[in-house]
Structures are given as structure tokens and as C-alpha cells.
Amino acid sequence: IKNYYLTLNYKSELMIAYFESLKKNYSIEFAIEPFFMGTAGSIKLLEDKLPEEFIISNCDCIAKTDFTEILNQHQDKNSILTVVCSIQHHQIPYGKINYTNGGNITSIEEKPELSIPINTGIYIANKKILDFIETDKLFHMTHLIEKIIAKKLPVHCFFINEKEFVDFGQWNEYAKVLNLLK
């Protein structure tokens, strides 16, 4: 990947100064949000610069995966948007009570494990998504996904292993990032 675009709001001057101070073999351009627009809202600022298909990524997550595979699946399924998902496993440290409407306990599960697919904040998008983005208010990716689904357009998941994804916006996950980058 040789072309990067950053949409910035908070401390944008600091971010621009940092990237402009680096020697790099890639191009980077900045779009400054006039107000906090959300991830999807800010993408619309890049409308004239984006190719037909592009990667969107939140700045506080890392996925160690082959983006060619994600792009291939995105194209094979004719997706307008592909959401990179990770199955996360969480053990509940308590016994889970199952009960009826009247409060009668029907069973108890001791420390069950939940396995749930989560949105990693990484996407492959077709430029057609720009038609659904609102720019007059905060507009998150969840808003965009809901609009696309409501229009019955193809949105798909691409699953990665939970060990291949770290959200270092969560401080307790920061140490995992260092291991993932090795």
C-alpha cells in the first residue's frame, strides 16, 4: 500500500507534524474534519481521492492478516462493504441463571464461555458506500452498515483469528500489540 489518507480532528496539527517529519516511501494526505464527524462521516471528505475499492481502518487497532485475501473475498462476493470480524471468547466468571418469566430457575451454567463475532474496525469498501454517508452530523460506521443493510445491499464478514487482532485503544490490550508486531 503506497497511498494513505488520514481523517483528523482532535490534535490534527500534532499528527500532521509527526507524519511530515518522517522519511517515507509512501504518500500520505490529510483531511481535517470541520467537526467530529465519526469514521464514516469523515470518509466522505475523501470522495474525490478514493479508488473504487479501499481499506478503512480505525487508528487504534491492528490486524495481522493478509489483506489480499480480504480483498479477494470482497470482490468474489460483490460486496459493497466487507467488515473484518474476529471471534472473541470470553469466560463469564459467574454462574449464569436461566429462568422463566415467573422467576422459576430452570438451569444454571457454571462460568459459561461466550463466543461472539466482533467488528474489528477494519473494512474493505466499494466507493458506492459514499452515497449513503451523511455529513451534517456525527455518522459512525455502524450507521453506515445499518443503512446499507436496510437497502439490502451486500455486506459481508471476513473472519480473522482473535489472536490476529488487537484493539490498543483499550490500555489492557496495549501489551498484546507489542507481541503482535513482532
Side-chain angles (χ1 to χ4, degrees), residues 55-124:
I55 299 169
I56 302 166
S57 179
N58 292 340
C59 64
D60 60 356
C61 59
I62 293 177
K64 189 174 185 178
T65 189
D66 184 346
F67 281 88
T68 304
E69 286 182 34
I70 304 169
L71 182 60
N72 288 342
Q73 178 193 294
H74 175 80
Q75 292 169 340
D76 290 346
K77 293 186 178 225
N78 293 314
S79 296
I80 189 169
L81 185 69
T82 297
V83 180
V84 177
C85 300
S86 174
I87 303 295
Q88 298 286 305
H89 305 282
H90 296 278
Q91 180 119 31
I92 306 298
Y94 310 102
K96 177 184 176 270
I97 300 292
N98 298 308
Y99 59 94
T100 64
N101 283 343
N104 293 327
I105 294 176
T106 58
S107 64
I108 185 168
E109 298 171 58
E110 188 58 28
K111 298 182 174 90
E113 183 176 298
L114 298 178
S115 297
I116 55 172
I118 60 105
N119 177 356
T120 64
I122 301 169
Y123 313 86
I124 302 286

Side-chain angles (χ1 to χ4, degrees), residues 2-147:
K2 293 286 186 185
N3 299 311
Y4 293 86
Y5 302 94
L6 293 180
T7 59
L8 302 171
N9 184 278
Y10 182 68
K11 297 200 177 200
S12 59
E13 301 86 9
L14 183 63
M15 296 291 288
I16 292 168
Y18 170 76
F19 281 103
E20 286 181 347
S21 72
L22 299 175
K23 283 189 173 184
K24 48 195 169 295
N25 62 352
Y26 54 89
S27 77
I28 188 164
E29 292 185 46
F30 307 96
I32 309 299
E33 299 172 83
F35 60 92
F36 181 63
M37 299 175 77
T39 301
S42 67
I43 293 167
K44 188 82 167 184
L45 298 173
L46 302 168
E47 188 166 18
D48 297 333
K49 299 177 182 198
L50 294 171
E52 274 309 302
E53 294 174 318
F54 53 95
I55 299 169
I56 302 166
S57 179
N58 292 340
C59 64
D60 60 356
C61 59
I62 293 177
K64 189 174 185 178
T65 189
D66 184 346
F67 281 88
T68 304
E69 286 182 34
I70 304 169
L71 182 60
N72 288 342
Q73 178 193 294
H74 175 80
Q75 292 169 340
D76 290 346
K77 293 186 178 225
N78 293 314
S79 296
I80 189 169
L81 185 69
T82 297
V83 180
V84 177
C85 300
S86 174
I87 303 295
Q88 298 286 305
H89 305 282
H90 296 278
Q91 180 119 31
I92 306 298
Y94 310 102
K96 177 184 176 270
I97 300 292
N98 298 308
Y99 59 94
T100 64
N101 283 343
N104 293 327
I105 294 176
T106 58
S107 64
I108 185 168
E109 298 171 58
E110 188 58 28
K111 298 182 174 90
E113 183 176 298
L114 298 178
S115 297
I116 55 172
I118 60 105
N119 177 356
T120 64
I122 301 169
Y123 313 86
I124 302 286
N126 184 291
K127 201 168 182 178
K128 294 174 190 167
I129 68 163
L130 299 173
D131 296 338
F132 303 99
I133 295 175
E134 297 175 34
T135 58
D136 58 341
K137 61 183 177 183
L138 176 67
F139 199 74
H140 291 300
M141 288 300 291
T142 50
H143 299 132
L144 176 62
I145 294 167
E146 289 166 355
K147 277 186 113 174

